[in-house]
Amino acid sequence: LLSVYFDADYPDVQIINAEHPYSKWLPQLFSVFNGDTVNITSSTKDNELMVVQVEGDKTPKQFHLFNSKEKSMDYLLNSRSWITPKEMAEVKPIKFTARDGLKLHGYFTLPNDVSKEVPLIVMPHGGPHGPRDYWQYDSTVQFLASRGYAVLQVNFRGSGGYGLGFEEMGHREWGNKIQLDIIDATHWAQKQKHIAKNKTCILGASFGGYSALMAPTIAPESYQCAIGFVGVYDLALLFEEGDTSTIRAGKNYLSEVLGDDKKELAKYSPVAQVEKL
């Protein structure tokens, strides 16, 4: 084990094995690339040459060749060479407190050169258990920002990366406390400078698609637009259709995170809440 990466806000690395050949260089590479996430993906056997992967909020994954003997760096390639980082929008980490006192984290992106109030896009991530949003290059976020939208991402309870206890807080809360976290994050963002009142859309895919239709059924006054993409809209149907329900472990997982109460599954399914939506 070489190191542990932390992503509460901006990425950071903690060296665990000080004797590892990479341990001397990894913190320095973080500094050289101004805090962007750095990974040494491969090296020669003598560790003289290292392939370094770098990614930031404005920078798609880039690869460099580091010569540790000469302490020189040569650019190799960019996974999205058509992107100009200086034209991308800054992604800022945020913290706020949910209505029940739970501290939550997320990311907030404003378009460049904001001279007037702009519409807000709330973009909940998929999963919900395990995945999370990171401070990194996100093509959807940058596309929306380039078109004049502010973008909010929130790591609601149930998200990964904040400990098992935090993840389990989201169990059986898909249509309740998780949605309240997303709604509380929306209200936080709507109070920020440069955000236009009554111009908020919620957009997501997979569990994010579910949330895009579920959150507005709980707080319809908070959203003027909802876009769900490849979302789950009938929770009971998860037990009957799709890959998860075809194996015992999948069915056990659904029972653990959703429960088996059919009335509650219907209550928390957008298909049963169309009139509210």
Side-chain angles (χ1 to χ4, degrees), residues 5 21-22 24-44 47-56 59-68 71-79:
Y5 283 80
Y22 292 176
K24 175 182 178 180
W25 302 111
L26 201 51
Q28 292 187 45
L29 289 168
F30 260 81
S31 177
V32 166
F33 288 101
N34 300 315
D36 285 358
T37 303
V38 175
N39 282 298
I40 299 173
T41 62
S42 58
S43 67
T44 52
N47 296 302
E48 184 175 316
L49 297 176
M50 304 178 186
V51 175
V52 178
Q53 174 190 293
V54 183
E55 182 179 17
T59 310
K61 285 186 175 68
Q62 295 183 353
F63 295 87
H64 304 259
L65 185 64
F66 175 55
N67 188 317
S68 61
K71 297 183 181 179
S72 62
M73 189 83 68
D74 291 318
Y75 172 81
L76 292 176
L77 59 93
N78 187 328
S79 62

Side-chain angles (χ1 to χ4, degrees), residues 95-105 181 184-185 188:
K95 301 176 186 177
F96 68 97
T97 303
R99 65 187 70 190
D100 63 356
L102 184 65
K103 296 212 177 337
L104 298 173
H105 297 75
D181 289 347
D184 289 347
W188 175 91

Side-chain angles (χ1 to χ4, degrees), residues 176-234:
N176 187 25
K177 290 184 179 179
I178 290 180
Q179 301 309 315
L180 297 181
D181 289 347
I182 294 169
I183 293 165
D184 289 347
T186 301
H187 293 164
W188 175 91
Q190 288 170 335
K191 296 176 183 176
Q192 302 308 303
K193 189 177 180 182
H194 302 305
I195 300 302
K197 293 181 179 179
N198 301 319
K199 286 189 177 182
T200 298
C201 188
I202 182 167
L203 157 71
S206 189
F207 180 81
Y210 165 81
S211 297
L213 298 194
M214 195 64 208
T217 70
I218 299 171
E221 73 287 346
S222 298
Y223 306 94
Q224 287 70 52
C225 161
I227 303 172
F229 175 63
V230 295
V232 177
Y233 307 122
D234 185 341

Side-chain angles (χ1 to χ4, degrees), residues 4 67 71 82 90-91 93 134 163 168 193 206 213 233 246 266 272:
V4 175
N67 188 317
K71 297 183 181 179
W82 58 90
E90 181 181 1
V91 179
Y134 293 88
E168 290 178 343
K193 189 177 180 182
S206 189
L213 298 194
Y233 307 122
T246 60

Side-chain angles (χ1 to χ4, degrees), residues 240-257:
E240 303 170 17
E241 303 286 346
D243 295 340
T244 308
S245 62
T246 60
I247 57 174
R248 187 192 309 172
K251 289 181 178 178
N252 290 341
Y253 169 78
L254 291 174
S255 294
E256 181 180 355
V257 301

